[in-house]
Amino acid sequence: MTLLDTKAHWERIYRTKAPEAVSWYRSHLETSLALIERAVDRTSASIIDVGGGESTLVDDLLARGYENITILDISQTAIDATQKRLGSVAEQVRWLVADITQVELESSTYDVWHDRAVFHFLTEPEQRMAYIRQVVRAVKPGGHVIVSTFGPEGPTKCSGLEVVRYDAESLHDEFGARFRLEESFKELHQTPFGTTQQFLYCYCRIE
Ligand SMILES: C[S@@+](CC[C@H](N)C(=O)[O-])C[C@H]1O[C@@H](n2cnc3c(N)ncnc32)[C@H](O)[C@@H]1O
């Protein structure tokens, strides 16, 4: 898929589906939230949610007092919907509509990089290399990287697109030795349609 196709795909998904009607929907991203809170308890910590979509993670981070949040997504429609849901507090958040493999992020900026169900869409090695270059550039030394993908027994497609499934070892291998693996585990996500999907979470610190 070209970049334009990818963007068009996600705009169409978010224009045609209600927030609670997508397979990855959860009312709260409890696991992500718990990992972020454990990684950084300072509310001044700088956090980026890559491919945040319409998830309520930003609402929950704001409610916990985090003051330095960036939400990035390729879909303007998703960002608009999230901003609308938040109302005036949306002004406290930095918003970026961009492709994570292409955007120019400031260097050494983030204490926490969070991604739930975005990296697994990068099916080409060059895309994955571009993504990892972004993490290395944008996360502060000693910063925290939380990435969640479909696990080895997860679906082979998400939102109609092919994905790469990972176990902790294969995901960590993609990122390389500079990423110190702190924790990894699998989790069964209950979709709004009553089915389950295996997710893998990896939490690393960057040297
Ligand atoms: C499966 S959804 C997950 C959304 C959210 N992280 C969650 O857990 O609810 C994937 C998200 O990644 C975004 N996305 C897909 N490819 C992207 C890319 N290359 N750069 C930035 N965002 C992307 C999509 O627009 C979508 O919001």
Side-chain angles (χ1 to χ4, degrees), residues 26 47 62 92 102 126 138 145 173 179 181-182 184-185:
R26 299 183 72 77
I47 301 170
L62 285 167
Q92 296 172 28
Q102 303 281 321
E126 307 75 52
V145 180
D173 279 354
F179 292 78
L181 184 62
E182 297 281 327
S184 70
F185 52 91

Side-chain angles (χ1 to χ4, degrees), residues 3 6 10 14 24-26 29 49-56 72-75 78 98-101 114-118 120-122 158-159:
L3 254 181
T6 304
W10 289 104
Y14 285 115
W24 54 92
Y25 174 77
R26 299 183 72 77
L29 300 192
D49 185 18
V50 174
E54 295 180 349
S55 95
T56 58
L72 179 148
D73 202 278
I74 201 167
S75 166
D99 184 311
I100 191 54
T101 63
H114 173 263
D115 162 351
R116 175 175 180 264
V118 184
H120 66 193
F121 290 111
L122 306 179
C158 179
S159 167

Side-chain angles (χ1 to χ4, degrees), residues 164-202:
V164 183
R165 298 177 294 177
Y166 294 95
D167 59 20
E169 202 186 342
S170 58
L171 185 57
H172 185 248
D173 279 354
E174 290 286 339
F175 281 75
R178 289 175 73 175
F179 292 78
R180 197 176 68 233
L181 184 62
E182 297 281 327
E183 191 177 348
S184 70
F185 52 91
K186 297 181 194 117
E187 190 178 83
L188 274 188
H189 162 61
Q190 189 95 32
T191 72
F193 328 119
T195 57
T196 52
Q197 297 178 329
Q198 186 192 54
F199 273 71
L200 170 80
Y201 284 82
C202 269

